[in-house]
Amino acid sequence: PPPAADVAVAALGAAVEHPELDARRFFADRFAREREIFERAVRRGELKESVDPMLVVDLLAGAVWVRSVFRGVPLPDGFARDAVAAVLDGVG
């Protein structure tokens, strides 16, 4: 796997034993700052009010983690755009 994958896995492992590295706090803070992006998208009619923003974040972050960390596959140009389109437009 790429070196960044090793670092990410090590950081996750360390977070279990070191509360100061608690990823839950990091992501809660990050999501609180990003919530406005989802709220604006709802106001513009780009997202339904019923969409769970955390589910969208989980799906997109999961796509990156699975591909880059667990599968060791590089993220191609346009990956973020394609992943967002797949989540928002559906894959079927």
Side-chain angles (χ1 to χ4, degrees):
D6 293 339
V7 171
V9 171
L12 282 176
V16 172
E17 302 202 14
H18 299 281
E20 66 274 14
L21 299 175
D22 185 356
R24 290 171 294 212
R25 249 192 339 236
F26 170 80
F27 285 108
D29 176 62
R30 180 92 188 207
F31 183 71
R33 290 182 277 140
E34 294 172 349
R35 182 173 280 285
E36 176 61 26
I37 295 167
F38 290 94
E39 291 170 356
R40 285 193 313 255
V42 168
R43 286 193 299 269
R44 289 190 305 258
E46 297 169 352
L47 284 177
K48 297 178 195 171
E49 279 192 59
S50 62
V51 169
D52 177 359
M54 283 303 293
L55 177 59
V56 173
V57 169
D58 289 346
L59 291 169
L60 293 173
V64 172
W65 273 87
V66 167
R67 183 173 290 237
S68 65
V69 175
F70 299 115
R71 291 179 51 213
V73 177
L75 299 176
D77 290 341
F79 180 80
R81 179 195 63 239
D82 294 344
V84 169
V87 168
L88 295 181
D89 299 336
V91 295

